[in-house]
Amino acid sequence: MAGGAAPKADEPLPHPAKDQLPSISYCITSPPPWPEAILLGFQHYIVMLGTTVLIPTSLVPHMGGGNEEKAKVIQTLLFVAGLNTLLQSLFGTRLPAVMGGSYTFVPSTISIILAGRFSNYSGDPVEKFKRTMRAIQGSLIVASTLQIVLGFSGLWRNVTRFLSPLSVVPLISLVGFGLYEFGFPGVAKCVEIGLPQLVIIVFISQYLPHVIKRGKNIFDRFAVIFSVVIVWIYAHLLTVGGAYNDAAPKTQASCRTDRAGLIDAAPWIRVPWPFQWGAPSFDAGEAFAMMMASFVALVESTGAFFAVARYASATPMPPSVLSRGVGWQGVGILLSGLFGTVNGTSVSVENAGLLALTRVGSRRVVQISAGFMIFFSVLGKFGAVFASIPAPIVAALYCLFFAYVGAGGLSFLQFCNLNSFRVKFILGFSIFIGLSVPQYFNEYTAINGFGPVHTSGRWFNDMVNVPFSSEPFVAGCVAFFLDNTLHKKDGQVRKDRGRHWWDRFWSFKGDTRSEEFYSLPFNLNKYFPSV
């Protein structure tokens, strides 16, 4: 070819970067048909039950409560989760994010449970339970003010304006991958149930749609329902067949389908109400410790919101929308404190992963799931049936969902220059430190029974130990700091970190799609405009 060398015929081209995830069947604003939407909503309800049951099951006995108190707390947590999910999807970020219990609040809650002032009630376990619950409620009510102020004042908006695709990768990735301890270790507690569940859900969701083409959408969308029903029946047959009659108590607690004690203890109909355990009590130190847990949950939820937006095929959230969502999450923690759920609220990571598995990111589906949460929390016996699903089945689901959320974080690397050594350093160092520091804190706590910071002030210990025990918090903070201080003013660096891709989304009016996805209902944007 005259005038220069001929172009190569089969030059491989890089995959184009996409600000909206393709191949999603139903995005945030496009609901599936009603029968399908109801089934998908029920599936979200089943998935969020794991954390909802696990947290009260582990905490309530230490508070002095029995099966009856445990059943009531699970009902209350489920009821409040339904309310918070509706509020978040209607007035918060408007993303299809399920708002449920959070493990982040557990260490601070345990500190309150172990407080010496409750030992006086050891002769009356129910009174001890109520007194402890009131102290937890008081701490949650105070802690909620942090997120309410940061969110509704716009302060969190000003912080998140400094985020880039590079700095959110470690945060979102470890929101998913950082929960590895709840995956296979949970499966292994009853491997004859957990492992079949893991194998079957992978087979149904990933292989079966390519084998049976006709029912492709059915198998990948409803893989959770199919696999859970199959393994639950199998687990029940093992239980009634006497497979665990002579097993160790721990094995029986993990494997049997009749060990939860929830069905007998749950009332037929009960509507949770605020202050049902009595007037909250307040302790300044415990409130500060819970406030720090609230801040850690805020950072983790920021990453989870980005993952949900990605899997709902929405554009990146404008900072004002994210800040609005944080404010409503604070309202959710306030409701948790008022009703007495023994736990705060944050974005359910497992349900974010379910969006990826089903490829349905519809807002209506999640609102229907909130309806199921409220319905089954009031009809206690029916809800308790589903809540008695053996924990290893839930842990097997986590292996898939947490992996999807972690991979969603890695997908933001498409906007970054991976040939840049600056990008390599920030990415590698923040993820490594995000895994290594919490490993030290958690290992130290497991061996010694207390964290590396161990003073006479329990509240101060929690304020230091809790944040450094969170993988996404540590990784996100390190990445945020390095990305905003390391040669930031260099023009090439701006492109390397992917900021030029997100510029138009940093203002609500910068991209017309932001209005489509994130506008408030009932014309409320007129009175509460986003900037």
Side-chain angles (χ1 to χ4, degrees):
M1 184 177 176
K8 294 180 183 176
D10 297 319
E11 185 80 36
L13 295 171
H15 296 291
K18 304 277 188 182
D19 48 30
Q20 278 183 269
L21 187 64
S23 304
I24 296 293
S25 303
Y26 296 98
C27 77
I28 186 169
T29 53
S30 57
W34 276 104
E36 197 172 330
I38 290 168
L39 269 177
L40 287 163
F42 181 71
Q43 201 167 232
H44 272 282
Y45 162 71
I46 291 291
V47 167
M48 68 82 61
L49 272 179
T51 304
T52 305
V53 172
L54 196 61
I55 292 174
T57 300
S58 59
L59 294 178
V60 169
H62 297 291
M63 296 164 65
N67 280 339
E68 187 181 339
E69 286 75 27
K70 191 201 309 180
K72 287 179 179 177
V73 172
I74 290 171
Q75 279 182 272
T76 305
L77 182 52
L78 198 55
F79 183 81
V80 173
L83 290 179
N84 288 337
T85 301
L86 280 177
L87 289 172
Q88 190 64 240
S89 64
L90 284 171
F91 307 115
T93 57
R94 306 224 65 211
L95 288 169
V98 171
M99 308 301 292
S102 171
Y103 295 107
T104 306
F105 293 91
V106 170
S108 301
T109 305
I110 290 173
S111 284
I112 296 173
I113 293 170
L114 297 177
R117 66 182 185 277
F118 301 119
S119 58
N120 304 331
Y121 303 99
S122 53
D124 186 354
V126 175
E127 183 62 25
K128 182 187 176 186
F129 166 79
K130 288 183 177 178
R131 296 274 178 174
T132 312
M133 176 64 87
R134 292 173 200 168
I136 295 168
Q137 286 182 260
S139 297
L140 285 170
I141 289 168
V142 175
S144 69
T145 58
L146 178 76
Q147 291 197 26
I148 291 171
V149 170
L150 285 176
F152 290 136
S153 69
L155 286 171
W156 196 243
R157 176 189 68 210
N158 296 334
V159 172
T160 52
R161 282 192 192 282
F162 293 96
L163 286 173
S164 71
L166 174 59
S167 58
V168 299
V169 168
L171 173 61
I172 305 169
S173 297
L174 292 198
V175 162
F177 296 144
L179 294 168
Y180 59 85
E181 64 198 89
F182 298 105
F184 198 80
V187 171
K189 286 179 181 175
C190 188
V191 76
E192 63 268 31
I193 291 175
L195 197 57
Q197 171 65 39
L198 184 57
V199 171
I200 289 170
I201 192 170
V202 169
F203 176 74
I204 291 176
S205 64
Q206 306 302 321
Y207 289 93
L208 211 53
H210 299 285
V211 176
I212 306 174
K213 304 278 188 184
R214 199 169 181 180
K216 183 178 179 182
N217 289 337
I218 294 173
F219 292 122
D220 51 13
R221 270 182 213 163
F222 302 107
V224 170
I225 291 177
F226 287 137
S227 60
V228 167
V229 167
I230 292 167
V231 179
W232 198 6
I233 292 171
Y234 160 65
H236 188 65
L237 291 175
L238 287 178
T239 301
V240 297
Y244 305 115
N245 288 352
D246 301 319
K250 271 191 175 181
T251 305
Q252 293 202 33
S254 297
C255 299
R256 293 185 74 101
T257 56
D258 59 357
R259 292 286 291 181
L262 294 174
I263 300 171
D264 293 335
W268 279 103
I269 296 176
R270 180 179 182 273
V271 180
W273 66 92
F275 308 120
Q276 57 189 327
W277 316 108
S281 61
F282 297 90
D283 179 276
E286 290 168 356
F288 277 117
M290 197 65 82
M291 207 174 273
M292 178 52 80
S294 174
F295 182 67
V296 175
L298 158 61
V299 173
E300 293 175 354
S301 288
T302 297
F305 276 133
F306 274 106
V308 170
R310 188 74 185 154
Y311 284 132
S313 195
T315 51
M317 287 172 294
S320 58
V321 171
L322 178 56
S323 193
R324 187 175 75 200
V326 164
W328 279 103
Q329 183 171 282
V331 172
I333 297 172
L334 177 61
L335 289 175
S336 299
L338 295 175
F339 279 83
T341 63
V342 90
N343 194 246
T345 188
S346 69
V347 180
S348 171
V349 179
E350 54 268 36
N351 289 87
L354 181 58
L355 297 176
L357 180 71
T358 59
R359 299 186 189 182
V360 175
S362 167
R363 186 186 294 135
R364 180 183 293 172
V365 167
V366 165
Q367 289 170 341
I368 291 170
S369 80
F372 276 116
M373 293 173 215
I374 295 170
F375 178 76
F376 283 116
S377 68
V378 173
L379 297 177
K381 290 282 187 197
F382 295 103
V385 171
F386 297 111
S388 63
I389 296 172
I393 292 178
V394 177
L397 299 178
Y398 287 171
C399 291
L400 209 61
F401 299 146
F402 295 160
Y404 262 128
V405 173
L410 295 177
S411 72
F412 285 93
L413 287 172
Q414 65 184 299
F415 305 114
C416 307
N417 178 12
L418 288 175
N419 292 316
S420 160
F421 276 94
R422 178 187 182 274
V423 170
K424 283 179 167 58
F425 166 69
I426 293 173
L427 182 66
F429 183 72
S430 58
I431 289 178
F432 183 83
I433 291 296
L435 291 169
S436 190
V437 171
Q439 173 64 20
Y440 165 71
F441 272 75
N442 293 329
E443 199 174 275
Y444 190 101
T445 305
I447 293 169
N448 299 288
F450 49 82
V453 178
H454 184 59
T455 66
S456 57
R458 287 179 303 108
W459 62 273
F460 178 76
N461 302 340
D462 288 340
M463 287 188 73
V464 180
N465 291 328
V466 169
F468 286 108
S469 300
S470 166
E471 288 90 349
F473 181 83
V474 174
C477 289
V478 170
F480 184 83
F481 175 79
L482 292 174
D483 191 38
N484 284 288
T485 56
L486 210 56
H487 319 305
K488 184 185 168 186
K489 293 182 179 177
D490 189 328
Q492 183 57 41
V493 163
R494 180 177 171 77
K495 285 189 173 180
D496 289 346
R497 60 201 284 252
R499 265 310 291 261
H500 61 299
W501 278 97
W502 279 11
D503 278 346
R504 65 184 181 279
F505 303 115
W506 252 218
S507 165
F508 188 77
K509 300 287 187 184
D511 190 284
T512 53
R513 291 169 294 178
S514 295
E515 198 159 345
E516 178 191 349
F517 296 137
Y518 302 115
S519 281
L520 290 169
F522 317 122
N523 206 26
L524 287 173
N525 262 61
K526 185 177 177 183
Y527 306 101
F528 304 100
S530 298
V531 293

